[in-house]
Amino acid sequence: MSTAEETRGGGTEPWSEVTPDAARRLLVAAVEAFAERGYHATTTRDIAGRAGMSPAALYIHYKTKEELLHRISRIGHDRALDILRTAARGEGSATARLTDAVSSFVGWHAGRRTTARVVQYELDALGPDARAEIVALRRQCDTEVRGIIEDGVATGEFEVADLKGTTLAVLSLCIDVARWFNVDGARTPDEVGALYADLVLRMVGAGQR
């Protein structure tokens, strides 16, 4: 199983929406190559070779290397938004929902660290139209997290002077996990998620009133 498909505590990567199998293999190979070498240093020949296919076979499924990155980014951001939206719209207090949002979001970035690195750090390689689409998804992620924090402030659970800045700090903290997480390290993705949820609750002043 490749690093783009499975990591410790991460389960199997949900690439089931990518069909046929050859297109999926190329996408997984692209994730690994982009994460390892960066988008600009990766060639279509590199991707095809990792997938065990000829360079010509790649163009049957993807017109350009950028189309591959766009597909990866779209799937990854859709998943990230779903995680945050599910938590934000769940039952319970703002404290409980923020805990769920952060622990799940961090768990995904750790458990899917290879995919997450590409999704979060190769945005500027996309063309204007594709980039605008992904930026819109990022703004929706921001809205979901800010909404939970706003609810907490309204109910007196949180004490936050700068909602926009705090939301940015929370998301940045979570996303950065993909940069440093080591699958062979001391903590599992779930354990890192729990740690970060506790840190974020301290950041928003939960339980300090």
Side-chain angles (χ1 to χ4, degrees), residues 160-181:
V160 175
D162 183 345
L163 282 167
K164 182 178 180 181
T166 301
T167 300
L168 176 61
V170 170
L171 287 170
S172 298
L173 187 70
C174 295
I175 288 168
D176 193 57
V177 170
R179 184 184 58 79
W180 62 260
F181 183 78

Side-chain angles (χ1 to χ4, degrees), residues 109-174:
H109 280 82
R112 308 291 183 206
R113 72 200 189 286
T114 304
T115 300
R117 281 203 300 273
V118 176
V119 168
Q120 298 294 359
Y121 295 113
E122 293 290 353
L123 176 65
D124 289 341
L126 292 172
D129 291 343
R131 189 180 189 282
E133 178 185 316
I134 301 304
V135 167
L137 290 172
R138 290 192 176 204
R139 287 175 178 160
Q140 291 180 58
C141 289
D142 181 281
T143 297
E144 296 297 342
V145 174
R146 188 169 62 238
I148 302 174
I149 297 173
E150 287 175 341
D151 288 348
V153 171
T155 60
E157 295 171 64
F158 305 153
E159 185 172 356
V160 175
D162 183 345
L163 282 167
K164 182 178 180 181
T166 301
T167 300
L168 176 61
V170 170
L171 287 170
S172 298
L173 187 70
C174 295

Side-chain angles (χ1 to χ4, degrees), residues 17-35:
E17 61 268 75
V18 181
T19 57
D21 180 67
R24 179 184 177 279
R25 284 165 49 203
L26 286 163
L27 185 140
V28 170
V31 170
E32 294 173 347
F34 294 157

Side-chain angles (χ1 to χ4, degrees), residues 13-123:
E13 186 62 58
W15 297 117
S16 59
E17 61 268 75
V18 181
T19 57
D21 180 67
R24 179 184 177 279
R25 284 165 49 203
L26 286 163
L27 185 140
V28 170
V31 170
E32 294 173 347
F34 294 157
E36 180 182 315
R37 306 186 62 183
Y39 175 81
H40 293 294
T42 299
T43 66
T44 53
R45 183 176 295 274
D46 294 332
I47 296 167
R50 285 173 182 261
M53 301 166 68
S54 69
L58 184 148
Y59 296 107
I60 295 173
H61 303 283
Y62 302 98
K63 294 178 183 178
T64 63
K65 184 175 69 167
E66 185 192 341
E67 183 179 333
L68 260 170
L69 178 61
H70 180 215
R71 184 81 167 120
I72 293 162
S73 295
R74 178 71 205 215
I75 292 172
H77 279 88
D78 280 341
R79 177 56 182 152
L81 178 58
D82 180 63
I83 289 169
L84 293 174
R85 182 172 286 160
T86 297
R89 301 183 183 183
E91 297 181 357
S93 66
T95 299
R97 287 182 287 128
L98 187 59
T99 297
D100 186 21
V102 172
S103 60
S104 299
F105 199 50
V106 167
W108 185 79
H109 280 82
R112 308 291 183 206
R113 72 200 189 286
T114 304
T115 300
R117 281 203 300 273
V118 176
V119 168
Q120 298 294 359
Y121 295 113
E122 293 290 353
L123 176 65

